Amino acid sequence: MYIGLPLKVTLKLTRAKVKSKITLKDIARELEVSISTVSKALKNSEEISRDTKEKIQAFAKLYNYRPNNIAISLKNKRTKNIGVVIPDIVHHFFTTVIRGIEKYANARGYNVIVCSSDESFDREVINMEMLANGSIDGFIMSLSSETQLKNDYNHLKEVTDQGIPVVLFDRITNEVECDKVIIDDLLGAYTATKKMIDQGRKKIGLITTADYLSVSKARTDGYQKALTEHGLEVDESRILKLSSMEMDEELIQDFFENSDIDALLTVNEIFAVYSMRLAQKKGMRIPEDMSFIGFTDGFLSQYAYPSLTVVAQHGIRMGEVAAQMLIEKVESEAEVETYQTKILEPTLVVRDSTIN
Amino acid sequence: MYIGLPLKVTLKLTRAKVKSKITLKDIARELEVSISTVSKALKNSEEISRDTKEKIQAFAKLYNYRPNNIAISLKNKRTKNIGVVIPDIVHHFFTTVIRGIEKYANARGYNVIVCSSDESFDREVINMEMLANGSIDGFIMSLSSETQLKNDYNHLKEVTDQGIPVVLFDRITNEVECDKVIIDDLLGAYTATKKMIDQGRKKIGLITTADYLSVSKARTDGYQKALTEHGLEVDESRILKLSSMEMDEELIQDFFENSDIDALLTVNEIFAVYSMRLAQKKGMRIPEDMSFIGFTDGFLSQYAYPSLTVVAQHGIRMGEVAAQMLIEKVESEAEVETYQTKILEPTLVVRDSTIN
DNA sequence: TATTAACACGAAACCGTTTTCGTTACATTT
DNA sequence: AAATGTAACGAAAACGGTTTCGTGTTAATA
């Protein structure tokens, strides 16, 4: 049922000329020394004479010898791979986090294996099991919505029980003992809401998701806190709780038609940008008639018209911090583990959807 | 120099209780049989008696035995990992391709290792070398812009010479013999341009990038072909060639101010959406006064105002096709290789930035 | 009863490394 | 001349599996 089916196929035949990878054994045979000597020579060991080392190193270079990672992993019981499991790879925030992870990890010689759970509990479990059997040294992950809904974290506990370090980011849980990185979602929502209050808005709406999503819960709390602290009552009719982060155009339209608001906070950028469109279609001017703030500083916010004021989550930074925490654990030999939760400060990026 | 620095850090101490993974050896010792017997029993070999098999399987299940992937990889010389190297992970098109790759690959028991080259030749080489030493069974990749600029593909040739299958997608080259998947970029641009011509536009502009990027070249060609075929001359002053896919607001503003156009085709969605903003700021109505079409069917096009007509590249499909081609090669034992180039058909997704 | 076949299991090689612990051969010391 | 030291290298175990090829035991066959 796909559009975009193969249109043309061009073929070409070629005889394979496989000069497969050279191993220590090959070098040893060729140079009539033992495997151990070759191994040591290539590590520049003091044990081997200058002559022999030079000969072996030259030969290895000539034939472009590269040690086999798999063999080294088996021997060292260390893979230098980090497993990353995220709910959605087509989401700006998560991909910036991956970027941060890659940046830090690659610089330290680690590869990043990315799996997306697609917001599914089962896929999260399958992916983790797949990777946990030796493929990776540790996990960095953000929980799928289904996992947060089921509130079942046995797959995480199994992994940590095996001594595999885990760092949770953004969508976390208190049920698992491990390192965590989040932004202060409550503060972010609080700041955003306060910004709109300070601009004189009194009827501030919120589009969020059900409370089982840890981040939405915190953002909702921040929103309410800001209202309460500034003497505004929390009016449930101004809050739309979607069942997930998925776009639901109809519900948002309904909400927009039927609620009396002069400002809107949303837990992602799509909800906000879509709402702005609805407002514009109704002839409202932004930000004169209505203000908008979303979460996530992605392309959408940047290039929407008007551009959207957002709570930036600093995904790259979060990824770097997560990678740093994980690698530290992976490389540590400490008997006693200490788990940390790092809380990053969100930033309000002010654009044209709010009054300046 | 980061914003979003750690705000709070909470600590927690816990004694590690590592019950490390159980191995065949452990089971053999415990049950007083040989390792080979355990291995066979767990594979339900006919060689082993029912009694023994049941005993061993029960024990393995009880202790949650899982074979070590690394050991299996070493033995089989097959990792069941696919290496994906893309220029940019924070880009909608590439991330949808990853999705397609993951979808197909996971269903067949393969993991996906994602590395981004960040449009850098060096990072592309490094990443490939890292993965080529045993970590993966094959590559799926899209060339970095720097690689296409340098026109240097030795790292790819080295890899294919070693017998590691490679599938190139989207940003490809004819210099390397391997499987390829692309969309018909020329046709996509042609269709889009024709669409605007059919609507009566006579002064169609193009924002593209320098020709070294394979896709931009093809799209530029398609644009020119459509013009020529319809009796319109190609006016260089209506073409803006940026040096890369990076956003350059100033150049686009200049172009927009100084060129006389009534329609605009761009090689990605950002250029188009940004241009729409400029048009709106000038008081133009879209699509009445001017039409816009971009490439890539991402969130931006979908939620821009007005929504953007685009040439959809079917990333998911492309990923699936690429994964399928790669896995076929990986699992094939054919002596003679046949290389294919599959060309997917792009689709015009018509929205509000063009007249219907 | 001797031979053979089937059954059930184990020994050992192998994948490609690293690393420990010999073991030579020669030089140095007493 | 005997003892010791050292430089330079190799053998072998180990990592955790798979797989081939025995081998001993029992049951079926001639």
Side-chain angles (χ1 to χ4, degrees):
Chain A
M1 288 311 308
Y2 282 108
I3 11 179
L5 286 169
L7 183 65
K8 285 178 275 177
V9 171
T10 61
L11 271 174
K12 185 160 193 180
L13 290 176
T14 310
R15 180 153 301 279
K17 33 161 187 185
V18 181
K19 49 171 182 182
S20 74
K21 297 232 84 171
I22 189 176
T23 70
L24 287 188
K25 193 196 271 186
D26 298 328
I27 302 182
R29 182 175 3 86
E30 229 42 53
L31 261 36
E32 297 184 312
V33 291
S34 77
I35 295 180
S36 1
T37 302
V38 179
S39 175
K40 290 168 188 163
L42 293 177
K43 308 194 100 85
N44 234 329
S45 159
E46 291 300 320
E47 245 180 293
I48 309 298
S49 72
R50 264 187 56 132
D51 279 9
T52 313
K53 278 199 284 194
E54 278 173 6
K55 192 178 58 178
I56 293 177
Q57 287 170 3
F59 188 92
K61 182 158 195 177
L62 179 62
Y63 286 93
N64 197 28
Y65 168 80
R66 299 267 180 257
N68 181 312
N69 286 335
I70 299 289
I72 294 180
S73 293
L74 182 60
K75 183 92 236 293
N76 296 350
K77 300 185 145 213
R78 289 267 306 282
T79 63
K80 287 246 172 190
N81 285 156
I82 292 179
V84 176
V85 183
I86 52 173
D88 183 6
I89 202 168
V90 191
H91 186 299
H92 186 271
F93 169 66
F94 290 122
T95 102
T96 54
V97 175
I98 294 181
R99 229 195 208 173
I101 295 172
E102 272 205 318
K103 192 171 155 196
Y104 190 93
N106 286 341
R108 270 153 194 80
Y110 284 78
N111 284 317
V112 176
I113 300 186
V114 177
C115 291
S116 94
S117 61
D118 228 359
E119 300 287 11
S120 140
F121 175 81
D122 290 342
R123 286 221 53 77
E124 188 173 294
V125 173
I126 290 173
N127 278 326
M128 288 194 70
E129 281 188 350
M130 218 168 170
L131 296 177
N133 303 145
S135 302
I136 51 95
D137 294 338
F139 282 105
I140 297 180
M141 59 181 301
S142 194
L143 299 168
S144 81
S145 57
E146 216 180 295
T147 306
Q148 293 210 121
L149 182 57
K150 289 184 75 162
N151 212 31
D152 179 349
Y153 306 106
N154 285 312
H155 51 306
L156 288 180
K157 285 173 189 160
E158 263 181 35
V159 160
T160 53
D161 280 356
Q162 279 170 33
I164 301 179
V166 172
V167 176
L168 243 34
F169 74 90
D170 197 54
R171 303 224 207 127
I172 68 171
T173 174
N174 290 325
E175 303 287 314
V176 181
E177 277 192 351
C178 64
D179 286 331
K180 290 156 200 168
V181 203
I182 50 174
I183 65 157
D184 194 332
D185 284 292
L186 194 148
L187 177 64
Y190 178 89
T191 311
T193 310
K194 185 170 180 311
K195 163 100 185 165
M196 299 196 278
I197 295 173
D198 290 348
Q199 292 179 350
R201 305 297 184 189
K202 302 240 180 280
K203 299 177 289 184
I204 303 174
L206 171 69
I207 300 183
T208 180
T209 75
D211 281 345
Y212 67 84
L213 269 184
S214 54
V215 289
S216 297
K217 171 80 167 67
R219 291 169 193 175
T220 306
D221 290 348
Y223 159 84
Q224 294 181 337
K225 184 181 170 207
L227 291 186
T228 313
E229 276 191 9
H230 293 80
L232 297 171
E233 63 172 317
V234 177
D235 182 342
E236 290 295 332
S237 78
R238 293 193 180 125
I239 301 180
L240 173 61
K241 290 205 182 182
L242 266 17
S243 59
S244 78
M245 284 283 183
E246 282 297 290
M247 186 62 187
D248 187 326
E249 304 199 348
E250 261 187 69
L251 280 178
I252 295 184
Q253 278 179 35
D254 275 6
F255 173 73
F256 213 79
E257 293 295 327
N258 303 317
S259 60
D260 175 33
I261 55 178
D262 57 8
L264 181 62
L265 176 67
T266 67
V267 291
N268 62 30
E269 51 176 5
I270 298 191
F271 295 166
V273 169
Y274 183 69
S275 303
M276 286 205 302
R277 237 169 92 179
L278 296 177
Q280 285 169 322
K281 283 188 176 160
K282 278 174 74 173
M284 298 177 101
R285 290 165 309 158
I286 303 171
E288 292 80 359
D289 302 331
M290 192 164 169
S291 301
F292 291 85
I293 300 184
F295 266 79
T296 298
D297 185 18
F299 292 117
L300 216 46
S301 329
Q302 227 170 311
Y303 293 107
Y305 186 66
S307 59
L308 182 69
T309 296
V310 291
V311 179
Q313 301 171 86
H314 305 296
I316 297 204
R317 175 74 181 139
M318 191 177 282
E320 288 175 334
V321 171
Q324 186 185 4
M325 291 173 88
L326 184 71
I327 291 177
E328 212 161 273
K329 277 283 185 308
V330 165
E331 297 183 346
S332 121
E333 276 134 18
E335 275 302 298
V336 178
E337 302 289 357
T338 89
Y339 297 119
Q340 307 177 36
T341 297
K342 293 201 177 174
I343 304 175
L344 306 185
E345 197 169 350
T347 314
L348 199 63
V349 178
V350 179
R351 299 213 177 85
D352 301 338
S353 65
T354 49
I355 307 163
N356 293 322
Chain B
M1 286 314 306
Y2 283 108
I3 13 179
L5 287 169
L7 183 65
K8 286 178 274 176
V9 171
T10 61
L11 272 174
K12 183 159 194 182
L13 290 176
T14 310
R15 180 153 302 278
K17 30 159 187 187
V18 181
K19 46 170 181 183
S20 74
K21 296 232 87 171
I22 189 175
T23 70
L24 286 188
K25 194 197 270 186
D26 298 328
I27 302 182
R29 183 175 4 85
E30 227 45 50
L31 260 35
E32 297 183 312
V33 290
S34 78
I35 294 181
S36 3
T37 303
V38 179
S39 176
K40 290 168 189 165
L42 292 178
K43 307 192 101 85
N44 233 326
S45 159
E46 292 300 322
E47 244 181 295
I48 310 296
S49 73
R50 266 186 55 129
D51 278 11
T52 313
K53 279 200 281 194
E54 278 173 6
K55 192 177 60 177
I56 293 177
Q57 287 170 1
F59 189 92
K61 182 157 196 181
L62 179 63
Y63 285 93
N64 197 27
Y65 168 79
R66 299 267 180 259
N68 181 312
N69 287 335
I70 298 290
I72 294 179
S73 294
L74 183 58
K75 183 89 233 279
N76 296 350
K77 300 183 150 216
R78 289 268 306 283
T79 63
K80 287 249 170 188
N81 286 155
I82 292 177
V84 177
V85 183
I86 51 174
D88 182 6
I89 202 170
V90 191
H91 186 299
H92 187 271
F93 169 65
F94 290 122
T95 141
T96 55
V97 176
I98 294 182
R99 230 195 206 172
I101 295 172
E102 272 205 320
K103 194 172 153 195
Y104 189 92
N106 286 340
R108 270 153 194 78
Y110 284 78
N111 285 316
V112 176
I113 301 187
V114 177
C115 291
S116 95
S117 61
D118 227 1
E119 301 286 12
S120 141
F121 174 81
D122 289 342
R123 287 221 53 76
E124 189 174 292
V125 173
I126 290 173
N127 279 325
M128 290 194 69
E129 280 188 350
M130 220 168 169
L131 296 177
N133 300 311
S135 301
I136 50 97
D137 295 336
F139 282 106
I140 296 180
M141 58 181 303
S142 194
L143 299 167
S144 81
S145 57
E146 217 180 294
T147 306
Q148 293 211 118
L149 182 57
K150 288 185 77 165
N151 211 31
D152 179 347
Y153 307 106
N154 285 312
H155 51 307
L156 287 180
K157 287 173 188 159
E158 265 182 35
V159 160
T160 53
D161 281 355
Q162 279 170 33
I164 301 178
V166 172
V167 176
L168 242 34
F169 74 91
D170 198 56
R171 304 224 208 127
I172 67 171
T173 175
N174 291 325
E175 302 287 316
V176 182
E177 276 191 353
C178 64
D179 287 331
K180 290 156 198 169
V181 203
I182 50 174
I183 65 157
D184 193 333
D185 282 294
L186 192 148
L187 176 64
Y190 178 88
T191 311
T193 309
K194 183 169 181 310
K195 163 98 184 165
M196 298 195 279
I197 295 173
D198 290 347
Q199 291 178 352
R201 305 298 186 187
K202 304 240 178 277
K203 299 178 289 185
I204 303 174
L206 171 69
I207 301 183
T208 180
T209 74
D211 281 345
Y212 68 83
L213 269 184
S214 55
V215 290
S216 297
K217 172 79 167 66
R219 292 170 194 174
T220 305
D221 291 347
Y223 158 85
Q224 293 181 338
K225 185 181 170 208
L227 291 186
T228 313
E229 278 192 8
H230 292 81
L232 296 171
E233 65 171 317
V234 177
D235 182 343
E236 290 294 333
S237 78
R238 294 196 180 122
I239 300 179
L240 173 62
K241 289 203 184 185
L242 265 17
S243 60
S244 77
M245 284 283 183
E246 281 295 289
M247 186 63 189
D248 188 326
E249 305 199 349
E250 261 186 69
L251 280 178
I252 294 185
Q253 277 179 38
D254 274 7
F255 172 73
F256 212 80
E257 293 293 327
N258 303 319
S259 60
D260 176 31
I261 56 177
D262 58 8
L264 182 62
L265 175 67
T266 67
V267 292
N268 62 28
E269 51 176 4
I270 298 192
F271 295 167
V273 170
Y274 182 70
S275 302
M276 288 205 299
R277 237 169 91 179
L278 296 178
Q280 285 168 322
K281 281 190 176 158
K282 277 173 78 175
M284 298 178 104
R285 289 165 310 157
I286 304 171
E288 293 81 0
D289 301 334
M290 190 164 171
S291 301
F292 291 85
I293 300 184
F295 266 77
T296 298
D297 185 20
F299 292 117
L300 217 45
S301 329
Q302 225 171 313
Y303 294 106
Y305 185 68
S307 59
L308 181 69
T309 296
V310 291
V311 178
Q313 300 171 86
H314 305 294
I316 296 204
R317 175 74 182 141
M318 190 177 282
E320 289 175 335
V321 171
Q324 187 185 0
M325 292 173 87
L326 184 72
I327 291 177
E328 213 161 273
K329 276 282 184 308
V330 165
E331 296 182 347
S332 122
E333 275 135 18
E335 275 302 299
V336 177
E337 302 289 357
T338 90
Y339 297 120
Q340 308 177 37
T341 297
K342 294 202 176 174
I343 304 175
L344 306 185
E345 196 170 351
T347 313
L348 198 63
V349 178
V350 179
R351 299 212 179 84
D352 301 339
S353 66
T354 49
I355 305 164
N356 292 323

